[in-house]
Structures are given as C-alpha cells and as structure tokens.
Amino acid sequence: MKLLEDRIHTDGQVLGQDILKVDRFLTHQVDYQLMKKIGKRFAQVYANAGVTKVVTIEASGIAPALYAAESLNVPMVFAKKAKNVTMNDDLLITEVYSFTKKLTSTVQISSKLIEEGDKVLIIDDFLANGQAALGLVHLMEQAKAEVVGLGMVIEKSFQDGRQKLLDQGMKLTSLARIEKFEDGKVIFAPADDKDFD
Ligand code: 5GP
C-alpha cells in the first residue's frame, strides 16, 4: 500500500538491526484516517472470502482490525494478554512469545465469541517471526473456526514469520513488506496488495 510505505518513510524510525518504530501512527499515537484506509484495504482484499469475524491481539492490532471489521460489517474480537475477573467463560488459550518484549505471555479469547464454522480474518500490526499470528491461528483451531486469511500491516520479510504461515497453507496479505534496513533506511519488497493501489 503505497500510502503506508510513504508514511513509513516519513515517520518510521529504524532501531538497531531489526526493529522499526512506528509510534507516530500505529503503535502508540494512532492515525485513524490511515487506519481506516488500511482497514478498507484488508476488506477489499477479503471481500469475497465470506469473513464472519475479524480477530486480532491487543494492543496495536486493534485499530486496523476494527476498521477492517467496520468495512466488512462483522464483529472484531481481540485476544487479551491478561486474564481479568470478568473472563469467567471457557477460554481459548495459548502462549505467545513477544519479539519486542522478549517474554512469553498467555493470550486468551472467550470461547463464546468464536464459533465453530466462523470464517476468520486475522489482523495484526507487525509480522516478524510469526509467534503472535501463529498463536491466533492456534486459538482459531481450538474453536474449530476457519482462518480465511491473515492481514499484516507491516511485514519484516527478512524474518521467518511469512514462511511459517505459508508453510501452514495460510493466505497472507501484508500491506508493507520490508526487505531490509540499509543505513537506517527502509527498503521495501513488493507488497501483497500492490494490485489494489
Ligand atoms: P512476531 O510474533 O511475528 O515475532 O512479532 C509480531 C509482534 O511483535 C507484533 O504484534 C508487534 O507487536 C511486535 N513487533 C515485531 N517486530 C516489531 C517491530 O519491528 N516494531 C514494532 N513496533 N513492533 C514489532
């Protein structure tokens, strides 16, 4: 998505070898106009997939997932990283190792919210080593829901998350694909939605 790549060039900051900071529009301050366009793009790509729910993981996946859900006119459900006292239903539950936080957390969704036969579009802010995405796929398997695709806002293609998802037969749509960082600059690979630009 050209608009997103332009925004990464303007406001993204490369940290070290493998981290992109995008806290001006995605992971801390959120640009709702850009998120709405991102959500609409995911909805365009998956318009004919019969999506019944959009699923993400807190926190930064929520904004793009919500706009995708709005465009597809379906509910959005986000996996929670901490259990609280109101979560007294049966839970779909899995462990996810966080690439940025370097710790493993338990993530959960109430089993009432995802039903057998649901057709799910999984959305997240970043795809790196695929732990978050695979964790969500695992939760959907527990619910006997079908994952019709995954939509990633930013993919770091030099890490192996993409390959892991493709190996599982998943359809993947990344709106910005980072081939590498070079002298603090972002070099993009062709995005999966380039035909929609
Ligand atoms: P994965 O599970 O694919 O290894 O990593 C995905 C998760 O880690 C995303 O949900 C995101 O929160 C975080 N993440 C991974 N790489 C980056 C990065 O370069 N920048 C930021 N801001 N978050 C990242």
Side-chain angles (χ1 to χ4, degrees):
M1 187 178 187
K2 173 84 169 58
L3 190 70
L4 173 62
E5 290 176 353
D6 289 347
R7 187 60 177 272
I8 292 169
H9 276 314
T10 317
D11 280 341
Q13 201 185 335
V14 177
L15 299 182
Q17 301 294 307
D18 55 8
I19 297 284
L20 181 70
K21 185 170 172 178
V22 285
D23 66 344
R24 288 179 170 258
F25 60 93
L26 179 57
T27 59
H28 200 8
Q29 175 170 269
V30 180
D31 179 340
Y32 75 88
Q33 289 162 320
L34 179 63
M35 292 306 120
K36 197 171 174 90
K37 286 177 182 150
I38 284 171
K40 278 190 178 161
R41 176 58 56 90
F42 285 133
Q44 260 180 306
V45 175
Y46 289 94
N48 299 318
V51 176
T52 60
K53 279 185 191 134
V54 174
V55 170
T56 188
I57 181 165
E58 64 177 347
S60 301
I62 292 177
L66 185 62
Y67 285 116
E70 182 194 35
S71 279
L72 290 164
N73 195 25
V74 297
M76 185 277 284
V77 179
F78 65 92
K80 295 195 177 208
K81 289 178 180 159
K83 190 173 184 296
N84 67 39
V85 287
T86 67
M87 292 187 81
N88 54 1
D89 304 324
D90 285 343
L91 296 173
L92 310 168
I93 200 156
T94 195
E95 303 275 298
V96 170
Y97 177 76
S98 164
F99 178 77
T100 43
K101 300 194 182 89
K102 310 280 182 226
L103 55 85
T104 300
S105 53
T106 305
V107 300
Q108 48 238 321
I109 293 179
S110 163
S111 58
K112 285 201 180 123
L113 300 179
I114 309 289
E115 293 166 326
E116 184 171 349
D118 262 332
K119 288 176 170 258
V120 172
L121 172 61
I122 291 175
I123 301 280
D124 204 5
D125 59 338
F126 270 91
L127 176 63
N129 292 315
Q131 298 304 311
L134 288 167
L136 291 175
V137 169
H138 187 219
L139 292 182
M140 296 307 103
E141 282 167 0
Q142 289 173 36
K144 299 192 172 64
E146 180 192 348
V147 177
V148 297
L150 293 102
M152 297 292 152
V153 179
I154 301 173
E155 171 191 305
K156 293 185 293 180
S157 308
F158 53 84
Q159 293 178 262
D160 63 1
R162 182 182 187 87
Q163 197 53 49
K164 285 185 194 150
L165 292 170
L166 297 182
D167 286 348
Q168 295 221 357
M170 296 289 157
K171 177 174 159 75
L172 172 62
T173 307
S174 299
L175 303 188
R177 298 187 60 215
I178 299 175
E179 186 183 312
K180 59 181 173 181
F181 298 134
E182 202 171 69
D183 303 327
K185 294 240 163 10
V186 178
I187 313 289
F188 290 105
D192 293 319
D193 68 322
K194 59 182 185 319
D195 296 341
F196 289 83
D197 265 338

